[in-house]
Amino acid sequence: MTQDNANYRPVVFRDRSAGYAFLTRSTATSDRTIEWDDGETYPLVEVEISSESHPFYTGRARVVDSEGQVAKFERRYGDDQAPPDDKD
């Protein structure tokens, strides 16, 4: 069964934080338009994050310092309490 997507058309998506824009096909709607490099005018959909600004794709992801977290835990709760001795 096929579905008729009459509103499937070229749309420009622009990443607000990176200023990166790309032209693709979508059913997304927008009142704003932009003139693209080919001279045509397309609907413009602004997005908060894309592959240009997402830390996972850009390689700017924060590395979690698990060793530092362990040290912080040990400082907070300490190793003062020795485990109970098993007396058999």
Side-chain angles (χ1 to χ4, degrees):
M1 181 175 176
T2 60
Q3 193 175 18
D4 185 23
N5 290 326
N7 293 331
Y8 191 64
R9 65 196 185 291
V11 176
V12 174
F13 287 88
R14 181 168 55 195
D15 184 332
R16 290 180 183 175
S17 60
Y20 175 72
F22 57 94
L23 177 65
T24 188
R25 294 179 54 86
S26 176
T27 59
T29 60
S30 175
D31 295 332
R32 300 182 68 192
T33 60
I34 188 171
E35 186 174 328
W36 194 243
D37 299 335
D38 61 5
E40 295 290 323
T41 302
Y42 299 104
L44 174 66
V45 177
E46 301 218 39
V47 294
E48 295 295 324
I49 198 161
S50 72
S51 61
E52 282 294 308
S53 61
H54 193 281
F56 179 79
Y57 294 106
T58 61
R60 295 185 305 223
R62 291 187 322 164
V63 176
V64 176
D65 179 17
S66 60
E67 184 176 326
Q69 294 297 319
V70 171
K72 181 179 174 182
F73 178 84
E74 287 176 351
R75 279 194 310 272
R76 180 176 290 167
Y77 298 106
D79 198 18
D80 298 339
Q81 300 173 359
D85 291 335
D86 288 336
K87 294 184 181 179
D88 292 328

